[in-house]
Amino acid sequence: MITALLILHGLVGVALLGAVTHQALAVMGRAEPPRTGSFFKRFRSTDAAAYSNAVVALFVLASLMGVVLYPQYREIVRPVLQTLDLRAANGAFELKEHFSALALVMLPAYWASWRQPLAAEYATVRLWLTWIVCVIVWWNFLVGDILAAIKGLFP
């Protein structure tokens, strides 16, 4: 059961990673999509506001799944990290927890800044909140994957 939940947690993380990365790059793009151009111009020209509800829902879902999985981490993975004296890995996970809490507190402001119709005076707020959430999601995803790999390497 825990393995299935961990796999599902990873899949939700990948979906969140894709949505927030796409939105973060799109928030820097033009308002109207180019018909031609490079892949990155077309990638950035999508409707960034379309991702906000999905980002909020996926972040909350991933966090809830992480809360369910956390006791298993404390019992199985953390002792391995401590036994192997991998303080940096353990500290990275502690930062992951703190960043997740900060992002959860920021989600209402993030979501409100993306409400339709988009107010022009909140463009800078949308840009910064989106990029902060994006960086936190990337950090959490990479740290989670690395810690899962460490536990797999040292059974």
Side-chain angles (χ1 to χ4, degrees):
M1 175 65 185
I2 292 297
T3 303
L5 187 59
L6 187 60
I7 290 170
L8 187 59
H9 181 61
L11 291 174
V12 169
V14 168
L16 174 60
L17 192 67
V20 76
T21 301
H22 206 83
Q23 184 183 40
L25 292 174
V27 76
M28 296 173 32
R30 297 185 306 191
E32 48 186 78
R35 301 253 183 233
T36 61
S38 72
F39 169 78
F40 291 106
K41 284 183 184 177
R42 291 191 310 265
F43 185 83
R44 287 179 43 193
S45 66
T46 189
D47 179 21
Y51 293 94
S52 61
N53 290 336
V55 168
V56 170
L58 288 168
F59 196 96
V60 169
L61 180 60
S63 296
L64 289 173
M65 294 171 85
V67 166
V68 172
L69 290 165
Y70 185 72
Q72 293 294 319
Y73 166 79
R74 294 288 290 188
E75 292 178 8
I76 298 170
V77 179
R78 192 167 183 201
V80 171
L81 298 177
Q82 291 173 336
T83 302
L84 296 172
D85 200 28
L86 298 173
R87 293 183 190 140
N90 198 29
F93 190 83
E94 296 294 326
L95 282 175
K96 177 183 180 205
E97 293 173 342
H98 290 72
F99 289 156
S100 293
L102 286 172
L104 281 171
V105 170
M106 288 177 16
L107 277 183
Y110 163 85
W111 184 73
S113 72
W114 282 105
R115 297 282 312 254
Q116 296 290 346
L118 295 177
E121 61 266 18
Y122 295 130
T124 304
V125 172
R126 278 191 298 275
L127 175 84
W128 280 102
L129 285 175
T130 302
W131 273 97
I132 289 169
V133 170
C134 183
V135 168
I136 289 172
V137 167
W138 270 98
W139 173 266
N140 290 352
F141 185 80
L142 292 174
V143 168
D145 277 0
I146 290 169
L147 286 178
I150 287 173
K151 175 58 179 121
L153 291 174
F154 304 103

